[in-house]
Amino acid sequence: MAQRSERRRIHLDQSDLLCTKGCGFYGNTAWQGLCSKCWREENQRDKQKQIQDDWALAERLQREEEEAYASRHQKAQSQAAVTPFNKFEERKTKEKSSKVNTVTKFFTPSSKTPPKKGSPSSCSTANRPSSADTDLATREFIDFLKPLKYGRQIFRQCRAFTESMAYKRDMGVEDMSECVQDFYQSLSERLHTQFKGTKMLYVEGIMDEVERYMTTRLYKEVFCPETSDDEKKDLAVQKRIRALHWVTTEMLGVPVDEEIPEASDSVVKAITDVIELDSKRVPKDKLACITRCSKHIFNAIRISKKEAASADDFLPTLIYIVLKANPPRLQSNIQYITRFCNPSRLMTGEDGYYFTNLCCALAFIEKLDGKSLNMTSEEFDRYMSGVQVSPNWPPVDGAALTQVHERLDLLSGLGERQELVMERARQLESDLIDWTDEVEQNVQSILETFEAPVSSAIDSDNVENEHLPPPLTPQVFAG
Amino acid sequence: MAAAGGGGKSFSFKVVLLGEGCVGKTSMVLRYCENKFNDKHITTLQASFLTKKLNITGKRVNLAIWDTAGQERFHALGPIYYRDSNGAVLVYDITDEDSFQKVKNWVKELRKMLGNDICLCIVGNKIDLDKDRNVSTEEAESYAASVGAKHYRTSAKLNSGIEELFLDLCKRMMEAAQVEERSKGNGGGQSASGRRGVQIVDDEPQAPPTGGCCSSG
Ligand SMILES: Nc1nc2c(ncn2[C@@H]2O[C@H](COP(=O)(O)OP(=O)(O)O)[C@@H](O)[C@H]2O)c(=O)[nH]1
Ligand SMILES: [Mg+2]
Ligand SMILES: [Zn+2]
């Protein structure tokens, strides 16, 4: 099918080959039927227009926000506006005794690493996230807010806050987290007042987008930041999990029978999902990976046990999955979610429950000893040192994991090749444009040189096509 | 009772289920949320995280019930599960003295870690097996009173006492939330702990003022 339509394209009408703008040059399907000149003009115009639109919108937002602010400021200073900066200053002077016991605390006992010395604030400019991602996030955020009442105000505030945070990297990630969390809280409180009478879900939907925009923008600064020892811990966890490769389903009491194909299939999917966690930027998207992983685990349990999974079944299976998957930067991902996720989602939502179980799994793995696997510490040591080998490692289980890793390798390989192809394609496109230009120029100069004789040779009703390249063009290409 | 559009507040609560294995935690929550007991038709994918929506005196309540792994080897993970909980349901089996001892340990730990920020329910389950009872109701009730908890008697099998347990717990959590809300209002709203505490959100239109001039004219 595809081949035939390709072929048919070759036998097009002469007029179909011309630039659709009617300028008389040859068009090209790759340039949406335009000639190189018109294509470039159009393209340029589109880009220019987009840039101008964005600027105009940003400027309008700014202006309107300032006007609104000015009038509100005069009328009532009592209205509780979001003032994250003041809050931040406040916090800096305030002792930090009132903090709640968070997961963060659970994993990082007492020692707080001081910020690394000699990280000039200027380098935060250089390390800002690749503009493509953040630009897209900004655009999507604006598109989302456009139709909303107070949309501009929300955008202005979020942008101002996020920009200010991006340059405060050296303040330490825990303090940044506090600031962001305060911002979420005061913004959501205000939205609940402003949108009084709407469903609770409405404001939550807005807060989701706020989180998406802000975390995408701040990701590079706050994910596994160099001011923390997250990276060191990631490596330690990775090593620890590798050392525990011998742990079996029996030792953990995992109620999954991997002999059943559908169950082992669910196990593989769960492993893939928990590995994918690291590839997402937005906390909500990361949580979605954990939730998908959990649902696959439930499925594996249900198939094996013929009953709905309880926490007694779920947690050991999740631990097993984490051991199999050895997810990249697990510690950093957990910290990042804890620090920058909208807290209501972690507290009462379903995603929060699965996330909490993942935290439990990691804590269990870190502390795991002989007793937690119902064996003596001598036996445990023998396994750890490799003297003793577990009965069914690696044949059945190993196959699934190997498969996953092979697939991942394949995928990343494909990704690289895709990029290479894209790059070459772009190169080819620009080469083609240059080449056409060259041909046009050549033709022009030849035409000019032989102006009189050539024009007399041209058909009188074909005047508008006088700039057509001569039919010898294909020969040049073939040569 | 269910006078809609009253205060217009809605509550979200997190409740953890704690207790030794086999005391009936999972059975209780499945009975409460899905009205099932030992159901062999597995239509539920999982019974570890369940939710229930209630309407209590015109206020909407979203209850999230977190099952926890009861095996001894997971005991140390308790704090990760119960942090930010508004309530805890501590279950023992009335035929199993040991399981009541476990509940006492949980109470100690919870009071130590969370103080009085959490509503505690001590639940003696399997009251249908009264002939094999090994924990006296009086003892359990007086213990509960001594630690500021409330005691309940349930049977997941007979569906007895479970609705009452969760309804009562919700009312207590609502009260606690409103107390905190009020103290936050007075204290100038600077508390950082409020952020990760209960969420109280206005989410219903305020009822239009009743009476007034329109009715006469
Ligand atoms: N007789 C009786 N058995 C119960 C009751 N609740 C649970 N069980 C049984 O106790 C066993 C353990 O229940 P389960 O919900 O899995 O306990 P969990 O480990 O605490 O979650 C199961 O066989 C249930 O059928 C009850 O109220 N009465
Ligand atoms: Mg259970
Ligand atoms: Zn053209």
Side-chain angles (χ1 to χ4, degrees):
Chain A
M1 251 322 226
Q3 245 181 3
R4 186 178 294 171
S5 67
E6 276 299 310
R7 188 157 302 191
R8 208 181 287 141
R9 207 172 278 166
I10 293 169
H11 301 286
L12 282 174
D13 231 40
Q14 173 80 4
S15 64
D16 287 338
L17 289 172
L18 297 176
C19 171
T20 50
K21 282 216 107 179
C23 69
F25 285 100
Y26 275 118
N28 189 315
T29 44
W31 302 325
Q32 287 161 12
L34 298 174
C35 72
S36 67
K37 223 173 180 163
C38 295
W39 165 249
R40 227 180 287 174
E41 272 170 18
E42 277 293 300
N43 222 19
Q44 207 64 18
R45 201 179 304 147
D46 272 3
K47 263 194 212 138
Q48 209 60 43
K49 194 172 176 316
Q50 184 66 61
I51 292 167
Q52 273 167 4
D53 283 358
D54 286 354
W55 270 112
L57 179 61
E59 266 170 23
R60 209 180 62 226
L61 290 170
Q62 178 117 13
R63 208 169 46 241
E64 287 176 4
E65 177 56 29
E66 268 148 24
E67 282 164 13
Y69 178 75
S71 64
R72 204 189 318 128
H73 205 63
Q74 289 162 355
K75 263 189 280 174
Q77 280 160 317
S78 58
Q79 205 208 342
V82 182
T83 53
F85 313 117
N86 304 351
K87 274 237 166 110
F88 165 59
E89 297 304 335
E90 217 170 80
R91 195 160 293 281
K92 282 217 119 173
T93 51
K94 200 171 88 184
E95 71 275 68
K96 294 180 174 108
S97 56
S98 61
K99 282 194 196 165
V100 256
N101 201 18
T102 63
V103 175
T104 320
K105 292 281 154 52
F106 191 86
F107 289 122
T108 52
S110 51
S111 67
K112 211 168 184 186
T113 23
K116 260 182 208 164
K117 53 186 170 3
S119 59
S121 51
S122 63
C123 72
S124 58
T125 328
N127 281 348
R128 282 172 63 164
S130 63
S131 51
D133 290 329
T134 46
D135 286 355
L136 185 66
T138 308
R139 191 156 307 146
E140 282 173 355
F141 191 43
I142 291 175
D143 285 345
F144 172 80
L145 290 174
K146 253 186 225 165
L148 296 192
K149 212 172 147 192
Y150 310 113
R152 301 183 171 104
Q153 194 184 349
I154 297 169
F155 176 73
R156 251 276 279 176
Q157 250 150 6
C158 292
R159 191 188 51 181
F161 177 75
T162 312
E163 292 303 314
S164 78
M165 288 308 293
Y167 290 98
K168 285 184 180 154
R169 201 168 49 151
D170 42 340
M171 88 201 246
V173 71
E174 292 300 338
D175 287 337
M176 284 177 98
S177 159
E178 284 286 307
C179 286
V180 170
Q181 293 290 347
D182 279 344
F183 181 80
Y184 286 158
Q185 192 192 8
S186 45
L187 180 63
S188 107
E189 271 167 16
R190 209 199 56 219
L191 292 180
H192 276 300
T193 321
Q194 283 180 336
F195 292 100
K196 214 177 189 114
T198 60
K199 283 250 154 65
M200 197 167 147
L201 283 177
Y202 188 75
V203 170
E204 273 170 17
I206 299 175
M207 289 308 294
D208 282 350
E209 294 307 314
V210 168
E211 179 194 286
R212 176 172 299 279
Y213 164 75
M214 286 179 43
T215 52
T216 306
R217 176 67 186 76
L218 291 174
Y219 188 75
K220 288 252 168 82
E221 276 90 359
V222 300
F223 185 88
C224 192
E226 52 194 49
T227 51
S228 76
D229 54 0
D230 288 357
E231 191 183 357
K232 216 174 79 202
K233 287 192 190 146
D234 280 334
L235 291 175
V237 169
Q238 197 122 41
K239 221 173 117 196
R240 171 82 175 155
I241 292 178
R242 230 176 287 133
L244 290 168
H245 66 84
W246 47 269
V247 176
T248 64
T249 48
E250 287 77 18
M251 295 173 187
L252 286 167
V254 176
V256 171
D257 181 0
E258 289 184 274
E259 303 273 294
I260 307 171
E262 199 187 335
S264 80
D265 198 44
S266 290
V267 165
V268 173
K269 284 177 183 156
I271 291 172
T272 313
D273 284 330
V274 78
I275 288 174
E276 208 188 331
L277 163 70
D278 188 54
S279 67
K280 306 288 183 208
R281 287 190 158 208
V282 181
K284 189 170 185 266
D285 297 346
K286 287 185 185 284
L287 287 175
C289 292
I290 303 170
T291 297
R292 275 204 310 277
C293 166
S294 303
K295 298 269 154 99
H296 288 306
I297 289 175
F298 290 139
N299 198 44
I301 294 170
R302 191 177 56 163
I303 287 157
S304 309
K305 242 191 129 174
K306 308 270 185 294
E307 65 178 54
S310 74
D312 292 344
D313 307 315
F314 175 59
L315 182 61
T317 313
L318 181 63
I319 291 167
Y320 176 69
I321 296 293
V322 170
L323 285 176
K324 297 275 119 173
N326 202 350
R329 302 194 287 182
L330 184 56
Q331 163 80 18
S332 285
N333 277 292
I334 285 179
Q335 293 284 25
Y336 171 74
I337 294 170
T338 309
R339 287 168 184 152
F340 298 101
C341 187
N342 198 336
S344 65
R345 202 178 305 125
L346 290 187
M347 253 173 46
T348 50
E350 186 175 12
D351 284 350
Y353 179 76
Y354 304 131
F355 174 70
T356 302
N357 274 278
L358 185 64
C359 297
C360 285
L362 177 56
F364 182 82
I365 288 167
E366 284 178 325
K367 300 259 156 64
L368 190 147
D369 58 11
K371 214 175 111 213
S372 27
L373 297 176
N374 292 332
M375 57 174 71
T376 63
S377 55
E378 291 78 36
E379 211 179 337
F380 183 82
D381 291 343
R382 277 205 303 279
Y383 276 118
M384 284 305 264
S385 61
V387 175
Q388 192 161 340
V389 181
S390 61
N392 51 3
W393 182 273
V396 186
D397 316 307
L401 185 66
T402 318
Q403 211 180 352
V404 170
H405 278 294
E406 273 170 6
R407 282 180 198 172
L408 282 171
D409 282 350
L410 201 65
L411 274 177
S412 66
L414 277 177
E416 278 164 25
R417 281 157 69 183
Q418 164 108 16
E419 262 173 35
L420 201 66
V421 168
M422 282 309 289
E423 197 182 300
R424 296 252 166 94
R426 275 192 294 270
Q427 182 61 42
L428 183 64
E429 182 185 321
S430 82
D431 282 356
L432 273 174
I433 292 178
D434 289 347
W435 174 75
T436 338
D437 284 353
E438 211 177 289
V439 170
E440 274 169 20
Q441 263 170 18
N442 285 347
V443 171
Q444 276 298 358
S445 57
I446 291 169
L447 281 175
E448 275 158 24
T449 323
F450 300 100
E451 187 130 44
V454 170
S455 61
S456 68
I458 282 176
D459 237 325
S460 55
D461 52 24
N462 222 358
V463 176
E464 71 271 33
N465 281 349
E466 64 182 317
H467 293 313
L468 273 180
L472 84 172
T473 313
Q475 287 170 347
V476 177
F477 191 44
Chain B
M1 183 186 154
K9 298 254 181 186
S10 117
F11 295 85
S12 283
F13 294 125
K14 167 181 166 182
V15 170
V16 277
L17 286 174
L18 297 167
E20 202 180 357
C22 284
V23 295
K25 297 184 296 295
T26 307
S27 303
M28 269 176 53
V29 72
L30 275 178
R31 175 60 93 182
Y32 181 57
C33 297
E34 317 229 321
N35 197 16
K36 283 176 187 156
F37 182 76
N38 280 354
D39 188 10
K40 284 296 153 204
H41 309 277
I42 36 166
T43 47
T44 345
L45 179 60
Q46 52 92 12
S48 54
F49 174 88
L50 290 166
T51 55
K52 182 103 172 174
K53 287 192 194 321
L54 296 102
N55 198 321
I56 300 174
T57 59
K59 311 242 173 23
R60 257 188 288 167
V61 176
N62 294 310
L63 191 60
I65 304 173
W66 292 36
D67 191 12
T68 63
Q71 297 96 315
E72 189 51 42
R73 60 170 89 163
F74 299 131
H75 184 92
L77 305 172
I80 309 180
Y81 275 123
Y82 59 65
R83 72 184 196 102
D84 295 328
S85 291
N86 307 104
V89 174
L90 308 157
V91 191
Y92 69 93
D93 174 346
I94 63 154
T95 69
D96 180 359
E97 167 72 41
D98 266 5
S99 69
F100 185 59
Q101 199 51 51
K102 286 268 158 53
V103 164
K104 288 181 174 178
N105 294 343
W106 276 119
V107 170
K108 256 184 241 147
E109 185 177 328
L110 286 168
R111 285 289 182 230
K112 196 174 117 210
M113 305 294 284
L114 303 177
N116 290 322
D117 291 348
I118 187 165
C119 294
L120 298 186
C121 302
I122 296 176
V123 182
N125 188 38
K126 308 198 187 178
I127 53 168
D128 55 293
L129 301 177
D130 198 60
K131 56 181 186 352
D132 299 320
R133 177 184 283 277
N134 273 313
V135 182
S136 87
T137 309
E138 297 74 45
E139 187 200 339
E141 275 175 355
S142 71
Y143 170 74
S146 74
V147 293
K150 276 190 85 173
H151 185 264
Y152 304 84
R153 300 163 353 120
T154 63
S155 165
K157 187 177 178 183
L158 304 179
N159 193 11
S160 162
I162 295 172
E163 292 271 346
E164 293 83 344
L165 152 70
F166 283 105
L167 184 64
D168 197 47
L169 173 60
C170 283
K171 286 180 181 164
R172 286 164 61 204
M173 292 189 297
M174 283 165 75
E175 228 162 80
Q178 278 159 344
V179 167
E180 196 196 325
E181 179 80 345
R182 248 174 274 136
S183 71
K184 210 172 81 184
N186 297 337
Q190 263 210 21
S191 78
S193 59
R195 176 171 70 228
R196 291 181 181 101
V198 205
Q199 307 154 261
I200 306 174
V201 187
D202 296 304
D203 75 339
E204 269 173 87
Q206 292 292 307
T210 45
C213 54
C214 305
S215 53
S216 57

